Amino acid sequence: MKLLSIAVPCYNSEAYMKNCLESLLVGGERVEIIIIDDGSTDKTGEIADSYVSKYPTIVKVVHQPNGGHGEGVNQGLIHSTGLYYKVVDSDDFLAKDGYLRLLDSIEEHNKEGKLPDLIIADFVYERNEDGKESKYVSSFARYFKSYEMVGWDHVKGMHFHHLLLMHALYYKREALIKSNTVLPKHCFYVDDIFAYKPLPCCKTIYYLPIIIYRYQIGRADQSVNEKNFVKRYPMLFTVMRNVFDAYSLDEIKKMPYGLKRYLFHALGTLNLTALFSICGSKDEYEKRKEVFRQYFLELKEKDKKMYNKIRYRSYYALIAWMPYFFKRRIIIFGYRMAVKVAKIG
């Protein structure tokens, strides 16, 4: 039995995927590594096949027509068999010591017959740009009890710049399947859906205050690069549609207090990023102004109660009455300050 299934979505990843896979192989027979070759046109598929030949009991590969990162995550889950499911991007790594401690922890919980629905661990941002390296640890120690299995009512409120990103999450496979989370194809930023929709299906949480995931940032072609971020604003619109579709305001209000508080926190933060992606560029000023208007109009038609909370009972209420020109400037400033505080910009 595999303790952990690790999906590695790959698209033209020949330059760096080996470093990622080598870090995952440290887990040995306790893990399965599922490489999703997402219609690559370079040697990604060949490299994936070579790892299957070398490690047939650990590595498997799925060759598929290009469907984007989200479809890679979907297919990884479909082909997984482990107790837990994790997604690791092909340009990232897992830290050896933390990774092995995670597997030991899952093994211990399994022997005791008490598997948490969600394991949360710290991760580190590693930026390498123009020869300059910097690191920032994203720790959740102030919000969760360490080495204890708890429910959402024991989770403290998070600061505005802190979110449970995909890098921190290790879902029990059964809970993830129960959530019916299917990510849209050909869309960036679907990590936000993956880190939001399954949470109500996770009744028990276990926090490991150790660094496991090493998140590499700084490449110009990455989706989190600001230029790419504002250029791909229609995709953020798609992501937010999925997020708002996941749960109505009335449904969230019935959830445990800690979970309800976190989901509202996540909605506020994700809303800021979506609005920034729409209005963060001077290009197509009038078109983006109209998209901005449509964003709220669509939410109002979908869930008027959620619309009222987002527009009038959140930070956005402070600027909702302003003309678009001033909203735009304030949103850009607020987003960039949040990124700076979070040490990822």
Side-chain angles (χ1 to χ4, degrees), residues 93-125:
F93 312 86
L94 295 188
K96 179 180 177 180
D97 291 344
Y99 181 27
L100 293 177
R101 287 177 66 184
L102 167 70
L103 294 175
D104 290 342
S105 180
I106 295 174
E107 199 164 44
E108 290 171 9
H109 283 302
N110 191 42
K111 289 178 181 178
E112 295 171 357
K114 297 180 180 179
L115 290 170
D117 295 325
L118 173 63
I119 297 174
I120 295 172
D122 299 338
F123 65 93
V124 60
Y125 294 95

Side-chain angles (χ1 to χ4, degrees), residues 198-222:
L199 295 182
C201 291
C202 300
K203 309 302 182 184
T204 52
I205 306 163
Y206 188 82
Y207 170 57
L208 285 171
I210 55 178
I211 295 171
I212 301 177
Y213 199 103
R214 296 167 57 192
Y215 178 33
Q216 310 299 298
I217 56 177
R219 295 201 330 267
D221 63 335
Q222 284 184 303

Side-chain angles (χ1 to χ4, degrees), residues 243-262:
V243 167
F244 286 127
D245 281 343
Y247 306 104
S248 69
L249 183 73
D250 286 340
E251 289 174 322
I252 294 176
K253 283 184 175 180
K254 295 176 183 177
M255 295 177 185
Y257 178 71
L259 174 59
K260 174 173 59 178
R261 179 173 55 189
Y262 175 75

Side-chain angles (χ1 to χ4, degrees), residues 9 29 34 40-41 46 50 69 90 105-106 116 216 221 223 251 256-257 279 303 325 336:
E29 294 293 341
I34 308 165
S40 299
T41 57
E46 295 177 28
S50 71
H69 186 263
S90 58
S105 180
I106 295 174
Q216 310 299 298
D221 63 335
S223 59
E251 289 174 322
Y257 178 71
C279 66
D303 186 345
F325 176 81
R336 288 176 176 165

